[in-house]
């Protein structure tokens, strides 16, 4: 008689092993997919901050190119596209809102004894907001008449 119990060689994975491997793989894929929205949001915020920095540089360049007496003409609201181009406020493609203010009654350090300081020193407050109203950048620019003379002579 022949032996009916053949020796069993293991040539494949068992069903339990396959189910466990699929469970681990599914968990890893779901975790990675869950991180994608956070990554995209962070990328969007970083891009907006970069654009706001570029717009702030443009405004600083414009301030330094403007004659000292004409600085108050820069005060007001401006709108910029995502590419950093200035547009009018009726344009639907506006992305960034820039507010430039020239505050009244500004007290400068050590200015209590100086009179007529505004003839020689101006302050412009610049604020850049995203379309959602979040403030991305805020900067105060102090401009002196001597700085303007140096800039225009060079």
């Amino acid at each position: 008689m022949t032996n009916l119990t053949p020796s069993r060689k293991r040539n494949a994975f068992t069903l339990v092993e396959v189910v466990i491997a699929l469970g681990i793989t599914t968990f890893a894929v779901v975790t990675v997919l869950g991180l994608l929205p956070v990554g995209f949001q962070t990328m969007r915020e970083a891009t907006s901050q970069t654009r706001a920095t570029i717009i702030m540089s443009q405004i600083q360049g414009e301030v330094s190119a403007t004659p000292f007496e004409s600085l108050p003409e820069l005060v007001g609201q401006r709108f910029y596209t995502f590419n950093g181009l200035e547009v009018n406020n009726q344009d639907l493609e506006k992305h960034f809102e820039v507010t430039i203010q020239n505050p009244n009654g500004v007290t400068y350090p050590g200015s209590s004894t100086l009179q007529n300081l505004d003839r020689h020193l101006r302050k412009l407050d610049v604020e850049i907001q995203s379309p959602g109203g979040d403030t991305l950048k805020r900067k105060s620019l102090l401009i002196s008449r001597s700085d303007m003379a140096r800039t225009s002579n060079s």
Side-chain angles (χ1 to χ4, degrees):
M1 253 200 184
T2 63
N3 191 356
L4 292 176
T5 55
S7 64
R8 296 188 125 200
K9 258 187 156 178
R10 194 168 180 202
N11 292 331
F13 294 109
T14 65
L15 183 60
V16 172
E17 292 172 330
V18 170
V19 168
I20 290 174
L22 282 174
I24 292 171
T25 303
T26 302
F27 177 76
V29 169
V30 167
T31 303
V32 169
L33 289 177
L35 291 176
L36 284 177
V38 174
F40 285 134
Q41 179 66 27
T42 303
M43 182 184 70
R44 228 177 283 121
E45 289 172 5
T47 304
S48 291
Q49 284 288 337
T50 301
R51 298 295 180 186
T53 301
I54 291 169
I55 292 169
M56 184 65 78
S57 295
Q58 289 175 357
I59 291 171
Q60 285 177 313
E62 187 177 349
V63 165
S64 35
T66 302
F68 187 79
E69 293 76 21
S70 302
L71 285 174
E73 296 172 11
L74 297 177
V75 172
Q77 281 191 315
R78 299 174 179 199
F79 301 95
Y80 289 83
T81 65
F82 189 72
N83 295 326
L85 302 173
E86 188 173 357
V87 294
N88 64 20
N89 60 358
Q90 267 55 29
D91 196 331
L92 297 177
E93 197 190 346
K94 66 180 180 187
H95 291 279
F96 298 98
E97 182 178 336
V98 177
T99 305
I100 302 175
Q101 296 177 342
N102 186 3
N104 293 330
V106 176
T107 304
Y108 301 101
S111 67
S112 59
T113 59
L114 300 176
Q115 295 190 359
N116 301 324
L117 188 62
D118 281 341
R119 290 188 318 164
H120 303 288
L121 187 63
R122 297 254 165 85
K123 179 180 179 184
L124 294 177
D125 291 333
V126 181
E127 182 177 274
I128 301 176
Q129 291 184 341
S130 68
D134 298 329
T135 299
L136 299 174
K137 292 261 181 219
R138 183 178 289 144
K139 192 168 194 173
S140 290
L141 305 174
L142 286 175
I143 304 103
S144 70
R145 187 178 293 275
S146 61
D147 287 342
M148 299 306 285
R150 253 184 275 139
T151 304
S152 61
N153 290 337
S154 55

